[in-house]
């Protein structure tokens, strides 16, 4: 199976060397690219990159630029049509802006029919964050296909083993699985393809 990966726009990007003029890189894009076996080029995985650790719209503005909204969409279509499966990672949350007037949710809707998967950090607060994100998606006309909980620390808080069950009490959206801290593979990955 050919897997494509795309990060429409990234902020908080850095050059790997101090050399002046060195390309800035998005860590998320590098992780996606390596995980997928390096499809196309890293620049195509994330064509629009900005330095400031801000929402992409503000990070672009800090460089006197704007995020190109047409390119967000055009490049996504190219990945989606060229691969069996393409994973598109947003920036920030579902209602965070990607380009002026365009939230992650708006891009997802433009690309429909795609499957929306909500990935959340498995720690105290995740019940609200997950349910609020699901509610926002449904309100916006896109029911998520599933939820993934990520352990983002080796020191889990007391909620970590209960969050999945607790979230399931309040939404019918399935929890596809949990990713252990530092895991590079999960046995339930094929659930993402259903
Ligand atoms: N299962 C995991 N094990 C180890 N680290 C993890 C795990 N899941 C997430 N992380 C780490 O948590 C941090 C946040 O992850 P990620 O960048 O995917 O978050 P995000 O919510 O998509 O953020 P944003 O889109 O705003 O950049 C990253 O540094 C990532 O390496
Ligand atoms: C800097 C972060 N890591 C992220 C941008 C997060 C913006 C959040 C904005 C908000 O919702 O308030 N950038 C990115 O995913 O490329």
């Amino acid at each position: 199976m050919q897997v494509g990966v795309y990060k429409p726009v990234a902020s908080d990007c850095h050059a790997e060397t101090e050399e002046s003029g060195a390309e800035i890189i998005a860590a998320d894009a590098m992780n996606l690219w390596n995980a997928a076996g390096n499809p196309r080029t890293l620049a195509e995985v994330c064509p629009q990159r900005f330095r400031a650790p801000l929402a992409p719209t503000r990070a672009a503005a800090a460089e006197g630029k704007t995020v190109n909204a047409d390119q967000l969409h055009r490049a996504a279509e190219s990945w989606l049509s060229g691969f069996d499966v393409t994973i598109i990672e947003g920036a920030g949350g579902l209602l965070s802006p990607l380009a002026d007037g365009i939230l992650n949710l708006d891009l997802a809707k433009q690309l429909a029919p795609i499957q929306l998967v909500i990935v959340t950090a498995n720690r105290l607060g995740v019940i609200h964050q997950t349910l609020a994100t699901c509610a926002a998606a449904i309100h916006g006309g896109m029911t998520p296909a599933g939820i993934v909980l990520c352990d983002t620390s080796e020191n889990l808080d007391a909620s970590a083993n209960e969050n999945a069950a607790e979230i399931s009490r309040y939404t019918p959206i399935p929890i596809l699985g949990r990713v252990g801290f530092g895991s590079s593979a999960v046995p339930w990955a094929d659930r993402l393809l259903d």
Side-chain angles (χ1 to χ4, degrees):
M1 178 184 293
Q2 298 288 309
V3 178
V5 284
Y6 177 56
K7 171 100 182 172
V9 57
S11 53
D12 200 12
C13 296
H14 305 278
E16 278 190 323
T17 67
E18 296 295 312
E19 259 172 65
S20 69
E23 283 282 316
I24 56 170
I25 288 173
D28 282 357
M30 180 66 94
N31 290 335
L32 285 168
W33 193 50
N34 287 335
N38 308 117
R40 296 189 175 170
T41 64
L42 183 56
E44 287 169 284
V45 174
C46 184
Q48 300 195 65
R49 303 178 300 279
F50 303 98
R51 290 178 188 273
L54 295 171
T57 43
R58 303 316 308 156
E63 298 177 25
K65 300 174 183 163
T66 54
V67 179
N68 182 329
D70 288 340
Q71 192 186 10
L72 289 180
H73 181 261
R74 218 177 30 248
E77 294 287 6
S78 163
W79 280 102
L80 288 166
S81 62
F83 290 81
D84 299 317
V85 173
T86 294
I87 295 169
I88 302 178
E89 178 173 348
L94 192 66
L95 299 190
S96 300
L98 292 179
D100 285 338
I102 299 180
L103 308 176
N104 281 277
L105 175 61
D106 298 318
L107 179 63
K109 285 169 67 177
Q110 284 172 15
L111 298 174
I114 60 169
Q115 302 286 312
L116 181 65
V117 176
I118 308 296
V119 182
T120 57
N122 185 23
R123 59 185 175 223
L124 191 62
V126 72
I127 300 170
H128 165 75
Q129 285 184 354
T130 306
L131 296 177
T133 301
C134 290
I138 293 165
H139 178 75
M142 250 192 125
T143 300
I147 297 162
V148 173
L149 295 181
C150 278
D151 295 350
T152 55
S153 163
E154 53 192 346
N155 301 309
L156 298 175
D157 69 40
S159 74
N161 292 326
E162 297 178 356
N163 287 328
E166 207 53 27
I167 290 166
S168 298
R169 292 185 62 198
Y170 300 99
T171 178
I173 295 167
I175 299 202
L176 302 173
R178 178 172 166 185
V179 182
F181 179 70
S183 286
S184 56
V186 288
W188 47 265
D190 55 352
R191 283 186 217 149
L192 293 166
L193 300 175
D194 291 345

